[in-house]
Amino acid sequence: MAKYGRPQVELIVGGENHDVNRIRLTLLELLGENELLRVRCAPDFGDGTALADTDFLITYTNNVFPEGEALAALDAFLAGGGRWLAIHGAAAYTQFKPPAVNLGGIHLPGLTDTPDLKPAYMNLLGVRFVSHLAQQAYAITPGPVAHPVTEGIGPFEVVDEPYILELRGECDVLLEARFTGEAPGYVEGPWLTDDARPQLLRHRHGAGEAMYLAPGHACGKYDLRPFIDEIPVQPGPWASGTYVDLVRRLIAWGVEAAVPVG
């Protein structure tokens, strides 16, 4: 479908408490490996008009959501055949629930709550973030559904916040993991059942598709201000070559339907 003879990519990177500078740069570098792509960067969905000229949408966000006309534009984008890659916090709506807490020197206004207050958006994505365990190393393994994006990828390890997710509608789970434990700082938890937990899933909407990749945490030295002045840099799974290659594959999936033939 490629407008202007070149696939149009809308890259939305925004929110707080994550190293958005690092992730924006990394994603731009990966997108730059394909010289055919034309990429536009934005911190949010704006009024949604850019999606009318977009073939592939990538979002790395937290508490950044389309509203009104922008939400309708996202719906139309997917229904019309667009592809959407959402990473990590893009499935998360969070707010603090008082009273204040101190977690190892991080002073928060309250526990992190994840009420279901953005249902239309979560239904388009096919998933909603509920909680996460403490950041740790864990293994990601192939899921029950095979897909070209994950072909040949065996078990690999990442350091990340193990996400607890709620699926919305029919989803294909392409990668999964198993973990149990406490959820420090969150209202929801602990998570003590040894369930297979989705890490990469696909959700169809109309003629389009969304892929959601749960791992993707990264936090820079100053990204948790004002809750704490400095923290050790956390590159998360972006330090894993296998993970970065997976993102590279997901970018190829996102633009394949828009690449002109001949």
Side-chain angles (χ1 to χ4, degrees), residues 63-144:
N63 276 3
V64 173
F65 300 101
E67 306 288 351
E69 292 182 358
L71 181 61
L74 178 60
D75 189 327
F77 166 76
L78 284 173
R83 293 188 174 184
W84 175 19
L85 169 59
I87 303 174
H88 195 54
Y93 173 84
T94 63
Q95 62 185 36
F96 291 114
K97 185 176 183 179
V101 295
N102 184 340
L103 297 175
I106 302 175
H107 301 272
L108 300 175
L111 294 177
T112 302
D113 198 9
T114 56
D116 189 8
L117 297 182
K118 301 292 180 181
Y121 170 91
M122 303 301 179
N123 291 343
L124 289 176
L125 183 54
V127 62
R128 180 177 76 90
F129 168 74
V130 176
S131 181
H132 71 67
L133 281 61
Q135 187 170 201
Q136 60 190 270
Y138 66 94
I140 294 178
T141 59

Side-chain angles (χ1 to χ4, degrees), residues 8 11 13 20-21 26 36 55 65 102 106 119 131 133 136-138 141 144 176 181 183-184 196 199 237 248 258:
Q8 309 295 297
L11 175 61
V13 180
V20 294
N21 290 337
T26 299
L36 189 62
D55 299 296
F65 300 101
N102 184 340
I106 302 175
S131 181
L133 281 61
Q136 60 190 270
Y138 66 94
T141 59
E176 61 188 13
Q199 298 294 293
R248 183 179 285 113

Side-chain angles (χ1 to χ4, degrees), residues 185-208:
Y186 273 79
V187 170
E188 299 289 342
W191 305 94
L192 304 179
T193 58
D194 186 26
D195 298 329
R197 305 194 186 277
Q199 298 294 293
L200 174 65
L201 59 88
R202 177 178 61 175
H203 176 71
R204 295 180 177 89
H205 179 72

Side-chain angles (χ1 to χ4, degrees), residues 12 37 40 48 65 68 109 150 163 178 215 217:
I12 300 176
L37 303 184
R40 177 184 182 273
F65 300 101
T150 54
Y163 264 23
R178 290 181 180 271
H217 182 71

Side-chain angles (χ1 to χ4, degrees), residues 3-91:
K3 288 89 177 174
Y4 317 123
R6 299 173 63 187
Q8 309 295 297
V9 181
E10 180 79 355
L11 175 61
I12 300 176
V13 180
E16 299 179 341
N17 308 326
H18 290 82
D19 193 348
V20 294
N21 290 337
R22 174 193 177 105
I23 301 308
R24 183 185 299 106
L25 178 58
T26 299
L27 290 172
L28 283 170
E29 288 175 341
L30 291 172
L31 289 163
E33 293 175 359
N34 185 339
E35 295 180 348
L36 189 62
L37 303 184
R38 186 172 184 270
V39 181
R40 177 184 182 273
C41 293
D44 54 42
F45 288 86
D47 62 5
T49 56
L51 289 177
D53 289 327
T54 295
D55 299 296
F56 179 35
L57 171 66
I58 303 176
T59 58
Y60 183 94
T61 55
N62 65 293
N63 276 3
V64 173
F65 300 101
E67 306 288 351
E69 292 182 358
L71 181 61
L74 178 60
D75 189 327
F77 166 76
L78 284 173
R83 293 188 174 184
W84 175 19
L85 169 59
I87 303 174
H88 195 54

